[in-house]
Amino acid sequence: MQLPRLLKSFNVFTDGLNKHGVTMTVKRPALKFKTEDYTPGGVPFELSAIHGVEKLELELVSKGYDVELFKSISHKIGGNLVRYQGSLHKEDEEEHQMLYGEFRGRIVEVEPSEDKAGEGGEHTFKYVLTYWKESVNGEDIIEIDVMNLKCIINGRDYFAGMRKNLGL
């Protein structure tokens, strides 16, 4: 039987500032390809052509009133660099593995929780990303660079041929 890698703990750094103890959750981007469905002549099955990657969104939930995240709101599409790292562990192994992610993007939405006396409150910061990279123990799993037309998954660059043909 195989056991899952469980995220035991994590930390977030916004522009190098350690957010340990403040960031409560990170909702990493969903990887969804833009597709077009079609049925080729003489084929009784529908197929999908991949045309790109859907918009990458990430959410951070911060406890209390996070002044630093509010100050990091930017009009620039690349926004600020944020990184997260966590400790992955399989219960049948002694070693922990490091999940490491970094992204660039700008905050496009801030949603406060309900304010109540005696409770610290929360804020959800929603980012739209132009760059996202994730690795486990230094092995790159995924890297998407929107501005440079890169989509690398497990070492395979899916848009290398397109960049070459466009002279990029």
Side-chain angles (χ1 to χ4, degrees):
M1 175 172 89
Q2 186 175 19
L3 296 177
R5 285 180 183 83
L6 302 175
L7 182 64
K8 297 291 181 142
S9 191
F10 72 95
N11 196 9
V12 174
F13 300 85
T14 58
D15 287 325
L17 182 64
N18 188 334
K19 304 300 284 180
H20 187 250
V22 177
T23 305
M24 296 175 56
T25 64
V26 175
K27 184 177 179 187
R28 297 178 357 259
L31 179 59
K32 184 177 180 186
F33 294 99
K34 281 190 177 201
T35 61
E36 174 188 5
D37 296 336
Y38 69 99
T39 304
V43 178
F45 302 102
E46 188 172 70
L47 301 173
S48 292
I50 293 177
H51 291 291
V53 178
E54 296 277 343
K55 176 172 56 174
L56 298 171
E57 297 179 325
L58 182 139
E59 291 183 3
L60 293 179
V61 177
S62 189
K63 184 70 175 168
Y65 191 91
D66 196 331
V67 173
E68 293 84 12
L69 278 181
F70 272 106
K71 287 180 176 179
S72 74
I73 293 174
S74 172
H75 70 282
K76 296 185 306 183
I77 194 166
N80 301 321
L81 177 67
V82 180
R83 65 185 171 96
Y84 54 91
Q85 57 193 71
S87 185
L88 299 171
H89 184 243
K90 290 173 73 171
E91 292 296 319
D92 61 344
E93 295 178 358
E94 290 191 29
E95 300 281 328
H96 284 245
Q97 295 180 312
M98 183 172 75
L99 170 66
Y100 178 87
E102 62 183 47
F103 65 89
R104 283 197 164 280
R106 62 179 162 192
I107 296 171
V108 296
E109 183 180 330
V110 180
E111 184 178 335
S113 65
E114 183 176 43
D115 291 325
K116 293 181 184 179
E119 293 184 15
E122 300 173 355
H123 283 83
T124 301
F125 295 85
K126 183 185 226 177
Y127 292 81
V128 173
L129 309 184
T130 58
Y131 180 81
W132 175 43
K133 182 177 182 178
E134 209 166 75
S135 63
V136 174
N137 270 8
E139 179 184 353
D140 292 343
I141 305 297
I142 187 165
E143 181 177 13
I144 297 177
D145 187 341
V146 175
M147 307 305 277
N148 292 304
L149 298 178
K150 288 185 181 179
C151 179
I152 303 168
I153 301 172
N154 195 29
R156 181 169 179 229
D157 188 344
Y158 285 83
F159 298 147
M162 182 189 307
R163 286 193 312 276
K164 178 183 173 197
N165 292 336
L166 294 174
L168 301 175

